Each structure stands twice: as C-alpha cells, then as structure tokens.
Amino acid sequence: MASPEGDGAGRAQGIPLVIAASYRARARGLLGRDGLTGALLLTPASGVHTFRMRFAIDVAYLDRRLTVLDVHTLRPGRLGRPRLRSRHVLEAEAGALERWGVRRGVRVAITPGPSAPPPPSVR
C-alpha cells in the first residue's frame, strides 16, 4: 500500500499498490488493461511511455528516497521523457494522484498490506 507523507492535508491512506521490479513486469506495465485500481510502481525506472495503452495515466517521478520530483498526465500514445534523478515511477489513472495529494516535494510511503509480503528494498 502507498500513501503520501506530509502534513496530513489531502493525505491518502491505503492505496493498493503493485510493484513492478523485474524487467518483464516493467515492460508489461499497464499494457492490455482497461483501467487500474490503485497504483503501479515501476522500479528501477526513470521514464515511461503510453504507446498501445487504452487510457490516460498520471505519472509521478520519484527519487531514491521516494520523494516526488515531477508529476504529469500522459494520454495514450505519448512518450514521457526521462527525469535525471528519477529512480522510480508511480503510475495511476489520470486524476488519481491529485486526489491522493501526490505532488512535487511529497514523499511517498510504502507499507505492506495485511497479507502482503514486505516490499523489496530500494537502493
């Protein structure tokens, strides 16, 4: 599960999160899906694309400490240019990151769900 840390204003709790840490999982990403409940974390990653995707997504570029460097909305068929210090990319349906309070400067917290294995270590 993921949630933005901070002052509590606009703070979201318990957002379902899928972590794509293998090459195969990152390459597949959201391809073939009609939507997404929660978010997808691509790690390691510094850029994304929406070629062959069916819906617009919000993209948050995160540094190694999971602090948001930049947030953009990408329509299908677009290329998001890589960010220099980005180590992870958080993807969600368009509009979701704003609702959850994910914006530049916010640090994202990842915690295991009640029956989920612990998240992989982040370098």
Side-chain angles (χ1 to χ4, degrees), residues 12-114:
Q13 296 281 334
I15 300 163
L17 179 70
V18 173
I19 298 175
S22 71
Y23 174 79
R24 184 182 191 106
R26 288 190 311 272
R28 171 123 202 251
L30 297 174
L31 294 176
R33 297 187 190 191
D34 290 323
L36 174 66
T37 301
L40 174 68
L41 180 71
L42 305 171
T43 182
S46 62
V48 297
H49 68 82
T50 57
F51 301 121
R52 297 182 9 222
M53 287 190 57
R54 299 176 183 164
F55 58 98
I57 60 171
D58 283 344
V59 177
Y61 299 90
L62 312 175
D63 68 10
R64 66 184 58 213
R65 298 177 134 193
L66 301 178
T67 301
V68 178
L69 300 171
D70 210 356
V71 178
H72 289 282
T73 300
L74 296 176
R75 295 181 315 199
R78 302 288 186 222
L79 177 65
R81 59 183 192 122
R83 299 302 189 268
L84 184 60
R85 294 180 331 190
S86 178
R87 297 292 180 264
H88 319 281
V89 175
L90 185 67
E91 298 180 340
E93 283 196 14
L97 295 184
E98 184 177 351
R99 284 193 311 274
W100 299 336
V102 176
R103 62 190 177 284
R104 179 181 279 182
V106 168
R107 190 167 182 192
V108 176
I110 299 175
T111 56

